[in-house]
Amino acid sequence: MSRRHLIIAASTWLALGFAGLAHGQRLPRDATGARPEAVPATHDALHHLSSARQEDPFAKVFLVTSRRLYEGGVKTHARPLAQRRDSLGNDLVIAEARAWQLPEISHGIHERERRCGGFFAFASRAEAEAFLSNEQSAKAMRTKAAADYGIDNAATVAPWLPLVQEANIRGTIQHLSTAWPNRYYASTHGNSAALWIRDTWLALGNGRPDVSAELFTACGNCGGQPSVILTVRGNELPNEIVVVGGHLDSISNSGNGNAMNAPGADDDASGIATITEIVRIALASGWKPRRTVKFMGYAAEEVGLRGSNAIAQSFRSQGLQVVGVLQLDMTNNGAGGQYAMRLMTDNSSPVLQNFVTRLFDTYLAPLGLTRGTDTCGYACSDHASWTAAGFPAAMMAEPTFFNRLHTTTDTLAYMGNSAVVSTNFAKLGLAFVGELGKTHTLLRRNGSQPLPTPLAATPSASPAAAPSTRTTVRPAVNSTPARSGARTRAQDPTRARHVP
Ligand code: BES
Ligand code: ZN
């Protein structure tokens, strides 16, 4: 589109207050089917949208999606630029849209197909092309032994499982979905919510020197929203990294920018709340992993997996060794259903799918729980970023598709005001970190002297060391690190955590 056309389109957009747009765009509906009121077509409205951390609604966005999803609906909103294939031979399309169209693109697929449909988003075509030329899904699929994936750490995992508290997860979902009108990536709320998650996770470290939190800000198209990374430094194999993540942003079809009404209780406050409970239990027990374990809240997932893609590409270019990634996105819908959860079988590593399945069968099946499978679609959630960067990733999701996602009614009330479904995911996540992170045991040489903990003498060798693009927050080292067998009141995993 020429500059002149852009100006005409912009004034049309203003004059109609978002309605009657190019490509036959309509205002998105809310969950009741009613069209929300148009944003007032005033200069103030535009100024509001473009100020602070708001996005430019007319900014070009370059999408990488599958040919199937493109034909299935993306093409209504975006114009094709090129056909490509990924390293697995899948047919892909690079297409161009405008920022304001993104919520409608994914929402349309949800409404039509009752399933997700995704894309990677970039600020320029060159970045989209570069992403595809470095695409490493085939490597992620082939990887046989980034680790041994053995299940032999029940001594750590089994005592954790009964400690999962539904009320804690419910409290965190409730807080995340009500304390701010949204967690939209291009909003001030999306920023404050990220800081709250960082502070909450770090507090669970209770001052341990091997636990640190950082804001990952090296994402050029995350609108200023940081991803959050909590790192528990490995005591024996610190360079081998285990990741459990979910996305911290939300989106909806109602309202724009800071005024968007996007509670995102299931999508994905549930995943963040589940991770919060995993962190609480694992750290309160005094657990010290052999490998480095990183808990991640990704920025800007809802607009094209931007935060996770920036992190995964950064890890790849630094040559970091990620041995497994578990994605928790939408963990709270479907109580009373046939299954406790569904393994997503596409865009993820067969070896890791197998590992997660064995974890379920070892730790959750004995509780009377059953599992199913499904497919998520191309680029439907952050595990796809790790797969594209060549790392083994898998995703477990709730048993039933929640068709209120990306609406004003993605609230706890529509999930029975309960987090019971998520409790199973917390157990699976605990099994994942306990069995892939393992548990540090002081090895003894000749049965006498304990070997030194490798990182104790060389903290700068930690993969958690902060490059200049990240902000790392360490707790003041005035509290005693957790030691097993010596629990303080704050470390008592049986004590319910207060959630605001
Ligand atoms: N949480 C969804 C993905 C999802 C949907 C997982 C249903 C499990 C069940 C995610 O936040 C999402 O909305 N993804 C978009 C694509 C994204 C790149 C904009 C989607 O699937 O449409
Ligand atoms: Zn979503």
Side-chain angles (χ1 to χ4, degrees):
M1 193 185 279
S2 71
R3 190 170 174 75
R4 195 174 136 263
H5 284 116
L6 194 59
I7 290 165
I8 292 168
S11 21
T12 310
W13 179 83
L14 276 176
L16 298 178
F18 278 109
L21 293 153
H23 302 297
Q25 282 306 297
R26 303 171 308 163
L27 266 181
R29 269 191 292 254
D30 70 15
T32 63
R35 302 262 173 219
E37 268 181 33
V39 169
T42 64
H43 183 268
D44 273 0
L46 184 59
H47 177 74
H48 175 65
L49 281 168
S50 59
S51 65
R53 291 167 180 275
Q54 310 274 317
E55 69 197 342
D56 171 2
F58 301 114
K60 287 182 182 175
V61 182
F62 296 84
L63 309 179
V64 173
T65 190
S66 67
R67 168 150 292 283
R68 200 193 77 71
L69 286 169
Y70 181 78
E71 296 296 343
V74 175
K75 73 176 178 191
T76 320
H77 310 271
R79 79 183 175 93
L81 297 179
Q83 297 185 37
R84 294 285 178 268
R85 279 182 203 274
D86 66 12
S87 55
L88 292 166
N90 294 315
D91 280 330
L92 304 179
V93 174
I94 300 179
E96 181 189 317
R98 302 277 168 179
W100 60 266
Q101 296 176 298
L102 299 188
E104 181 77 355
I105 290 179
S106 44
H107 190 67
I109 294 172
H110 300 154
E111 284 201 324
R112 267 191 313 279
E113 303 199 17
R114 291 182 60 78
R115 59 161 51 247
C116 38
F119 49 84
F120 292 94
F122 301 91
S124 67
R125 177 167 175 181
E127 288 165 274
E129 298 278 12
F131 167 76
L132 286 178
S133 27
N134 288 321
E135 204 274 343
Q136 312 227 353
S137 297
K139 179 181 166 205
M141 297 300 184
R142 274 198 312 267
T143 300
K144 292 258 183 307
D148 67 8
Y149 304 105
I151 296 182
D152 57 10
N153 198 18
T156 291
V157 173
W160 282 344
L161 304 186
L163 303 178
V164 173
Q165 298 205 13
E166 183 272 335
N168 281 347
I169 304 176
R170 174 164 29 98
T172 308
I173 296 176
Q174 183 68 10
H175 180 72
L176 284 170
S177 58
T178 59
W180 303 276
N182 62 66
R183 302 183 301 285
Y184 188 55
Y185 85 109
S187 75
T188 57
H189 311 304
N191 194 57
S192 334
L195 301 185
W196 184 86
I197 293 164
R198 189 269 314 267
D199 294 344
T200 301
W201 287 0
L202 185 62
L204 295 171
N206 201 33
R208 278 174 50 161
D210 58 344
V211 175
S212 60
E214 70 194 78
L215 297 178
F216 184 98
T217 56
C219 172
N221 59 349
C222 285
Q225 184 175 56
S227 295
V228 175
I229 304 180
L230 184 83
T231 300
V232 186
R233 198 173 64 232
N235 284 269
E236 294 170 42
L237 301 167
N239 296 328
E240 297 187 12
I241 301 170
V242 177
V243 175
V244 177
H247 65 91
L248 60 83
D249 65 319
S250 71
I251 200 168
S252 100
N253 59 346
S254 174
N256 299 279
N258 249 16
M260 181 182 280
N261 181 352
D266 195 24
D267 187 12
D268 181 30
S270 65
I272 297 294
T274 300
I275 293 168
T276 307
E277 185 67 349
I278 295 167
V279 172
R280 180 187 76 83
I281 292 168
L283 294 186
S285 74
W287 174 62
K288 294 195 174 203
R290 296 184 68 204
R291 298 192 167 103
T292 292
V293 178
K294 287 178 178 279
F295 298 93
M296 301 198 179
Y298 304 113
E301 185 265 4
E302 299 288 14
V303 285
L305 314 182
R306 301 179 190 190
S308 58
N309 196 35
I311 294 174
Q313 294 296 327
S314 152
F315 278 36
R316 183 180 63 83
S317 58
Q318 291 176 65
L320 299 182
Q321 193 184 347
V322 178
V323 299
V325 178
L326 178 65
Q327 174 70 357
L328 298 176
D329 183 6
M330 303 188 78
T331 62
N332 205 47
N333 185 52
Q338 186 186 359
Y339 302 120
M341 53 186 72
R342 292 171 298 161
L343 177 77
M344 296 301 180
T345 57
D346 54 348
N347 300 299
S348 54
S349 135
V351 166
L352 211 65
Q353 289 180 49
N354 175 277
F355 176 61
V356 170
T357 300
R358 285 184 290 116
L359 288 176
F360 185 100
D361 293 349
T362 305
Y363 291 110
L364 279 76
L367 306 176
L369 301 172
T370 55
R371 58 179 164 79
T373 58
D374 204 346
T375 53
C376 202
Y378 183 79
C380 95
S381 190
D382 300 299
H383 61 296
S385 294
W386 291 101
T387 300
F391 298 116
M395 175 179 175
M396 271 286 192
E398 61 201 12
T400 317
F401 181 74
F402 187 59
N403 63 0
R404 296 181 183 279
L405 83 167
H406 302 192
T407 74
T408 59
T409 59
D410 179 358
T411 62
L412 254 182
Y414 284 97
M415 294 178 282
N417 282 315
S418 165
V420 69
V421 180
S422 291
T423 59
N424 299 324
F425 288 86
K427 292 172 187 171
L428 182 79
L430 284 163
F432 187 84
V433 297
E435 288 290 0
L436 201 49
K438 299 298 183 197
T439 300
H440 174 52
T441 47
L442 287 178
L443 303 173
R444 287 177 185 277
R445 200 182 275 144
N446 304 326
S448 54
Q449 293 299 310
L451 290 176
T453 304
L455 279 180
T458 56
S460 60
S462 163
S468 57
T469 49
R470 303 179 192 175
T471 315
T472 299
V473 178
R474 280 184 187 280
V477 193
N478 55 3
S479 47
T480 315
R483 278 184 293 126
S484 39
R487 280 183 198 136
T488 65
R489 189 178 125 68
Q491 292 161 354
D492 181 358
T494 59
R495 194 171 67 88
R497 184 171 60 80
H498 170 71
V499 176

